[in-house]
């Protein structure tokens, strides 16, 4: 091949190489750039208000019956009790009564009384006066009740709810009248029973008072 012919072949080869298309994009590399993903929303760090801490704790339902005990000559004696709920009174409450006791609510212009009676002879009553509203007035009324039943003798008691207490000894019965208060309302509690009922009635009456719960309180 002559030098002139060889130069022509080389020129044609160079021209062919210059016209070749660019190599295709590799399959693992997109031909066009993809859109960047949207940034994730930041988590809500706002703390929900703690409503559980301010919600009212539901009152615990009291069982319909329960077994307790009281002392007889220094020995514990078991006793069955039934639940009594007193609603339509100035100071609603519930308590437990020994079997065989009756309950009755009476109201008049003088006030409202809830009376629990044992054997038709001994009674425990809670009285909310309508005309006496201050502590001094209710104490004077309690003193007058004790005095009318045999003489009012003031005495001290460890019961935290008692504001004043009087005992009386009559011809046919003995007992006490105590003054207390709840939620700004004053009341009196009177125990009256034949002297021979003392050992049987007094500890049972104590159970009734120990188990008393006002309607705005919770607990068993």
């Amino acid at each position: 091949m002559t030098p002139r012919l060889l130069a022509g072949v080389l020129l044609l080869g160079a021209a062919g190489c210059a016209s070749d298309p660019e190599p295709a994009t590799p399959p693992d590399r997109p031909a066009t750039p993809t859109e960047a993903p949207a940034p994730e929303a930041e988590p809500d760090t706002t703390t929900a208000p703690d409503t559980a801490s301010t919600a009212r704790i539901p009152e615990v339902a009291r069982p319909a019956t329960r077994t307790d005990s009281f002392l007889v000559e220094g020995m514990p004696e078991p006793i069955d009790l039934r639940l009594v709920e007193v609603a339509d009174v100035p100071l609603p409450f519930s308590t437990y009564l020994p079997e065989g006791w009756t309950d009755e609510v009476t109201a008049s212009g003088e006030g409202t009384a809830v009376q629990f009676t044992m054997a038709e002879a001994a009674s425990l009553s809670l009285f909310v006066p309508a005309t006496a509203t201050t502590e001094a007035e209710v104490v004077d009324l309690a003193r007058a009740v004790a005095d009318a039943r045999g003489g009012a003798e003031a005495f001290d008691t460890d019961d935290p709810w008692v504001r004043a207490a009087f005992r009386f000894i009559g011809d046919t019965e003995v007992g006490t009248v105590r003054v207390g208060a709840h939620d700004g309302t004053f009341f009196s509690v009177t125990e009256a029973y034949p002297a021979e009922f003392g050992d049987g009635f007094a500890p049972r009456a104590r159970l009734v008072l120990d188990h008393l719960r006002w309607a705005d309180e919770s607990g068993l």
Side-chain angles (χ1 to χ4, degrees), residues 56-62 83 85 92-94 213-220:
R56 183 181 182 276
I57 299 175
E59 182 177 352
V60 179
R62 308 184 80 181
L83 179 67
E85 297 176 308
F93 67 92
S94 63
R213 299 290 183 273
W214 303 112
D216 57 2
E217 296 177 330
S218 63
L220 301 179

PDB file of all heavy atoms in Angstrom, residues 56-62 83 85 92-94 213-220:
ATOM      1  N   ARG A  56     -61.580  12.251  89.432  1.00  0.00           N
ATOM      2  CA  ARG A  56     -62.057  11.830  90.741  1.00  0.00           C
ATOM      3  C   ARG A  56     -62.000  10.315  90.835  1.00  0.00           C
ATOM      4  O   ARG A  56     -62.435   9.610  89.924  1.00  0.00           O
ATOM      5  CB  ARG A  56     -63.497  12.309  90.955  1.00  0.00           C
ATOM      6  CG  ARG A  56     -64.044  11.962  92.331  1.00  0.00           C
ATOM      7  CD  ARG A  56     -65.485  12.454  92.479  1.00  0.00           C
ATOM      8  NE  ARG A  56     -66.018  12.183  93.795  1.00  0.00           N
ATOM      9  CZ  ARG A  56     -66.561  11.014  94.133  1.00  0.00           C
ATOM     10  NH1 ARG A  56     -66.637  10.053  93.255  1.00  0.00           N
ATOM     11  NH2 ARG A  56     -67.045  10.831  95.351  1.00  0.00           N
ATOM     12  N   ILE A  57     -61.438   9.835  91.921  1.00  0.00           N
ATOM     13  CA  ILE A  57     -61.369   8.391  92.122  1.00  0.00           C
ATOM     14  C   ILE A  57     -62.771   7.881  92.437  1.00  0.00           C
ATOM     15  O   ILE A  57     -63.424   8.380  93.356  1.00  0.00           O
ATOM     16  CB  ILE A  57     -60.415   8.053  93.278  1.00  0.00           C
ATOM     17  CG1 ILE A  57     -59.014   8.564  92.947  1.00  0.00           C
ATOM     18  CG2 ILE A  57     -60.398   6.560  93.548  1.00  0.00           C
ATOM     19  CD1 ILE A  57     -58.027   8.386  94.072  1.00  0.00           C
ATOM     20  N   PRO A  58     -63.267   6.904  91.664  1.00  0.00           N
ATOM     21  CA  PRO A  58     -64.627   6.412  91.919  1.00  0.00           C
ATOM     22  C   PRO A  58     -64.749   5.837  93.322  1.00  0.00           C
ATOM     23  O   PRO A  58     -63.810   5.247  93.849  1.00  0.00           O
ATOM     24  CB  PRO A  58     -64.816   5.318  90.862  1.00  0.00           C
ATOM     25  CG  PRO A  58     -63.773   5.591  89.825  1.00  0.00           C
ATOM     26  CD  PRO A  58     -62.627   6.228  90.552  1.00  0.00           C
ATOM     27  N   GLU A  59     -65.886   6.047  93.903  1.00  0.00           N
ATOM     28  CA  GLU A  59     -66.125   5.514  95.238  1.00  0.00           C
ATOM     29  C   GLU A  59     -66.182   3.994  95.184  1.00  0.00           C
ATOM     30  O   GLU A  59     -66.785   3.406  94.289  1.00  0.00           O
ATOM     31  CB  GLU A  59     -67.439   6.063  95.785  1.00  0.00           C
ATOM     32  CG  GLU A  59     -67.745   5.597  97.206  1.00  0.00           C
ATOM     33  CD  GLU A  59     -69.009   6.219  97.747  1.00  0.00           C
ATOM     34  OE1 GLU A  59     -69.552   7.107  97.085  1.00  0.00           O
ATOM     35  OE2 GLU A  59     -69.449   5.794  98.829  1.00  0.00           O
ATOM     36  N   VAL A  60     -65.526   3.362  96.131  1.00  0.00           N
ATOM     37  CA  VAL A  60     -65.509   1.912  96.181  1.00  0.00           C
ATOM     38  C   VAL A  60     -66.848   1.412  96.711  1.00  0.00           C
ATOM     39  O   VAL A  60     -67.325   1.870  97.752  1.00  0.00           O
ATOM     40  CB  VAL A  60     -64.360   1.420  97.083  1.00  0.00           C
ATOM     41  CG1 VAL A  60     -64.359  -0.100  97.164  1.00  0.00           C
ATOM     42  CG2 VAL A  60     -63.027   1.927  96.564  1.00  0.00           C
ATOM     43  N   ALA A  61     -67.463   0.500  95.975  1.00  0.00           N
ATOM     44  CA  ALA A  61     -68.744  -0.057  96.401  1.00  0.00           C
ATOM     45  C   ALA A  61     -68.532  -0.909  97.652  1.00  0.00           C
ATOM     46  O   ALA A  61     -67.594  -1.713  97.723  1.00  0.00           O
ATOM     47  CB  ALA A  61     -69.353  -0.885  95.281  1.00  0.00           C
ATOM     48  N   ARG A  62     -69.400  -0.738  98.623  1.00  0.00           N
ATOM     49  CA  ARG A  62     -69.286  -1.507  99.858  1.00  0.00           C
ATOM     50  C   ARG A  62     -70.062  -2.810  99.707  1.00  0.00           C
ATOM     51  O   ARG A  62     -71.164  -2.820  99.136  1.00  0.00           O
ATOM     52  CB  ARG A  62     -69.833  -0.700 101.041  1.00  0.00           C
ATOM     53  CG  ARG A  62     -69.235   0.693 101.150  1.00  0.00           C
ATOM     54  CD  ARG A  62     -69.719   1.433 102.390  1.00  0.00           C
ATOM     55  NE  ARG A  62     -68.978   1.009 103.571  1.00  0.00           N
ATOM     56  CZ  ARG A  62     -69.207   1.484 104.794  1.00  0.00           C
ATOM     57  NH1 ARG A  62     -70.164   2.376 104.998  1.00  0.00           N
ATOM     58  NH2 ARG A  62     -68.489   1.077 105.826  1.00  0.00           N
ATOM     59  N   LEU A  83     -75.277  -4.165 105.160  1.00  0.00           N
ATOM     60  CA  LEU A  83     -75.110  -2.782 104.737  1.00  0.00           C
ATOM     61  C   LEU A  83     -76.450  -2.044 104.737  1.00  0.00           C
ATOM     62  O   LEU A  83     -77.465  -2.572 104.284  1.00  0.00           O
ATOM     63  CB  LEU A  83     -74.517  -2.730 103.330  1.00  0.00           C
ATOM     64  CG  LEU A  83     -74.298  -1.340 102.727  1.00  0.00           C
ATOM     65  CD1 LEU A  83     -73.221  -0.582 103.496  1.00  0.00           C
ATOM     66  CD2 LEU A  83     -73.914  -1.458 101.250  1.00  0.00           C
ATOM     67  N   GLU A  85     -77.851   1.850 103.581  1.00  0.00           N
ATOM     68  CA  GLU A  85     -77.548   3.131 102.940  1.00  0.00           C
ATOM     69  C   GLU A  85     -78.704   4.097 103.183  1.00  0.00           C
ATOM     70  O   GLU A  85     -79.854   3.784 102.866  1.00  0.00           O
ATOM     71  CB  GLU A  85     -77.318   2.942 101.438  1.00  0.00           C
ATOM     72  CG  GLU A  85     -76.108   2.068 101.138  1.00  0.00           C
ATOM     73  CD  GLU A  85     -75.925   1.807  99.657  1.00  0.00           C
ATOM     74  OE1 GLU A  85     -76.893   1.367  99.015  1.00  0.00           O
ATOM     75  OE2 GLU A  85     -74.816   2.051  99.157  1.00  0.00           O
ATOM     76  N   PRO A  92     -76.316  12.338 104.058  1.00  0.00           N
ATOM     77  CA  PRO A  92     -76.406  10.937 103.604  1.00  0.00           C
ATOM     78  C   PRO A  92     -75.188  10.128 104.054  1.00  0.00           C
ATOM     79  O   PRO A  92     -74.066  10.640 104.086  1.00  0.00           O
ATOM     80  CB  PRO A  92     -76.453  11.068 102.073  1.00  0.00           C
ATOM     81  CG  PRO A  92     -76.842  12.488 101.806  1.00  0.00           C
ATOM     82  CD  PRO A  92     -76.284  13.288 102.932  1.00  0.00           C
ATOM     83  N   PHE A  93     -75.430   8.858 104.379  1.00  0.00           N
ATOM     84  CA  PHE A  93     -74.332   8.013 104.825  1.00  0.00           C
ATOM     85  C   PHE A  93     -74.703   6.551 104.635  1.00  0.00           C
ATOM     86  O   PHE A  93     -75.839   6.207 104.281  1.00  0.00           O
ATOM     87  CB  PHE A  93     -74.009   8.281 106.307  1.00  0.00           C
ATOM     88  CG  PHE A  93     -75.093   7.872 107.267  1.00  0.00           C
ATOM     89  CD1 PHE A  93     -75.089   6.602 107.853  1.00  0.00           C
ATOM     90  CD2 PHE A  93     -76.115   8.745 107.599  1.00  0.00           C
ATOM     91  CE1 PHE A  93     -76.081   6.224 108.748  1.00  0.00           C
ATOM     92  CE2 PHE A  93     -77.113   8.378 108.496  1.00  0.00           C
ATOM     93  CZ  PHE A  93     -77.093   7.111 109.067  1.00  0.00           C
ATOM     94  N   SER A  94     -73.738   5.684 104.865  1.00  0.00           N
ATOM     95  CA  SER A  94     -73.977   4.250 104.903  1.00  0.00           C
ATOM     96  C   SER A  94     -73.229   3.678 106.090  1.00  0.00           C
ATOM     97  O   SER A  94     -72.251   4.258 106.571  1.00  0.00           O
ATOM     98  CB  SER A  94     -73.509   3.573 103.605  1.00  0.00           C
ATOM     99  OG  SER A  94     -72.113   3.726 103.428  1.00  0.00           O
ATOM    100  N   ARG A 213     -69.837   5.708 107.053  1.00  0.00           N
ATOM    101  CA  ARG A 213     -69.129   6.482 106.031  1.00  0.00           C
ATOM    102  C   ARG A 213     -70.116   7.469 105.420  1.00  0.00           C
ATOM    103  O   ARG A 213     -71.203   7.088 104.976  1.00  0.00           O
ATOM    104  CB  ARG A 213     -68.588   5.568 104.913  1.00  0.00           C
ATOM    105  CG  ARG A 213     -67.592   4.529 105.376  1.00  0.00           C
ATOM    106  CD  ARG A 213     -66.265   5.134 105.776  1.00  0.00           C
ATOM    107  NE  ARG A 213     -65.318   4.088 106.155  1.00  0.00           N
ATOM    108  CZ  ARG A 213     -65.214   3.581 107.372  1.00  0.00           C
ATOM    109  NH1 ARG A 213     -65.999   4.014 108.362  1.00  0.00           N
ATOM    110  NH2 ARG A 213     -64.320   2.655 107.627  1.00  0.00           N
ATOM    111  N   TRP A 214     -69.707   8.737 105.380  1.00  0.00           N
ATOM    112  CA  TRP A 214     -70.549   9.743 104.740  1.00  0.00           C
ATOM    113  C   TRP A 214     -70.563   9.489 103.237  1.00  0.00           C
ATOM    114  O   TRP A 214     -69.633   8.912 102.675  1.00  0.00           O
ATOM    115  CB  TRP A 214     -70.036  11.145 105.046  1.00  0.00           C
ATOM    116  CG  TRP A 214     -69.939  11.433 106.501  1.00  0.00           C
ATOM    117  CD1 TRP A 214     -68.804  11.619 107.235  1.00  0.00           C
ATOM    118  CD2 TRP A 214     -71.028  11.591 107.448  1.00  0.00           C
ATOM    119  NE1 TRP A 214     -69.106  11.858 108.554  1.00  0.00           N
ATOM    120  CE2 TRP A 214     -70.460  11.841 108.720  1.00  0.00           C
ATOM    121  CE3 TRP A 214     -72.416  11.510 107.330  1.00  0.00           C
ATOM    122  CZ2 TRP A 214     -71.226  12.035 109.860  1.00  0.00           C
ATOM    123  CZ3 TRP A 214     -73.198  11.697 108.471  1.00  0.00           C
ATOM    124  CH2 TRP A 214     -72.602  11.962 109.715  1.00  0.00           C
ATOM    125  N   ALA A 215     -71.621   9.963 102.566  1.00  0.00           N
ATOM    126  CA  ALA A 215     -71.780   9.688 101.137  1.00  0.00           C
ATOM    127  C   ALA A 215     -70.670  10.307 100.299  1.00  0.00           C
ATOM    128  O   ALA A 215     -70.369   9.815  99.213  1.00  0.00           O
ATOM    129  CB  ALA A 215     -73.138  10.199 100.663  1.00  0.00           C
ATOM    130  N   ASP A 216     -70.038  11.381 100.770  1.00  0.00           N
ATOM    131  CA  ASP A 216     -68.965  12.013 100.000  1.00  0.00           C
ATOM    132  C   ASP A 216     -67.597  11.457 100.351  1.00  0.00           C
ATOM    133  O   ASP A 216     -66.573  11.978  99.957  1.00  0.00           O
ATOM    134  CB  ASP A 216     -68.972  13.533 100.187  1.00  0.00           C
ATOM    135  CG  ASP A 216     -68.854  13.951 101.657  1.00  0.00           C
ATOM    136  OD1 ASP A 216     -68.732  13.051 102.525  1.00  0.00           O
ATOM    137  OD2 ASP A 216     -68.912  15.145 101.935  1.00  0.00           O
ATOM    138  N   GLU A 217     -67.571  10.350 101.105  1.00  0.00           N
ATOM    139  CA  GLU A 217     -66.331   9.675 101.424  1.00  0.00           C
ATOM    140  C   GLU A 217     -66.305   8.348 100.693  1.00  0.00           C
ATOM    141  O   GLU A 217     -67.327   7.807 100.295  1.00  0.00           O
ATOM    142  CB  GLU A 217     -66.203   9.411 102.928  1.00  0.00           C
ATOM    143  CG  GLU A 217     -66.129  10.667 103.788  1.00  0.00           C
ATOM    144  CD  GLU A 217     -66.071  10.339 105.261  1.00  0.00           C
ATOM    145  OE1 GLU A 217     -66.631   9.294 105.657  1.00  0.00           O
ATOM    146  OE2 GLU A 217     -65.507  11.110 106.021  1.00  0.00           O
ATOM    147  N   SER A 218     -65.110   7.795 100.495  1.00  0.00           N
ATOM    148  CA  SER A 218     -64.977   6.480  99.936  1.00  0.00           C
ATOM    149  C   SER A 218     -64.263   5.574 100.928  1.00  0.00           C
ATOM    150  O   SER A 218     -63.605   6.039 101.846  1.00  0.00           O
ATOM    151  CB  SER A 218     -64.188   6.528  98.616  1.00  0.00           C
ATOM    152  OG  SER A 218     -62.880   6.990  98.865  1.00  0.00           O
ATOM    153  N   GLY A 219     -64.392   4.307 100.695  1.00  0.00           N
ATOM    154  CA  GLY A 219     -63.732   3.366 101.603  1.00  0.00           C
ATOM    155  C   GLY A 219     -64.727   2.340 102.101  1.00  0.00           C
ATOM    156  O   GLY A 219     -65.939   2.522 102.046  1.00  0.00           O
ATOM    157  N   LEU A 220     -64.175   1.247 102.585  1.00  0.00           N
ATOM    158  CA  LEU A 220     -65.014   0.159 103.050  1.00  0.00           C
ATOM    159  C   LEU A 220     -65.233   0.256 104.555  1.00  0.00           C
ATOM    160  O   LEU A 220     -66.097  -0.374 105.094  1.00  0.00           O
ATOM    161  CB  LEU A 220     -64.375  -1.195 102.688  1.00  0.00           C
ATOM    162  CG  LEU A 220     -64.131  -1.409 101.189  1.00  0.00           C
ATOM    163  CD1 LEU A 220     -63.472  -2.746 100.973  1.00  0.00           C
ATOM    164  CD2 LEU A 220     -65.434  -1.323 100.427  1.00  0.00           C
TER     165      LEU A 220
END
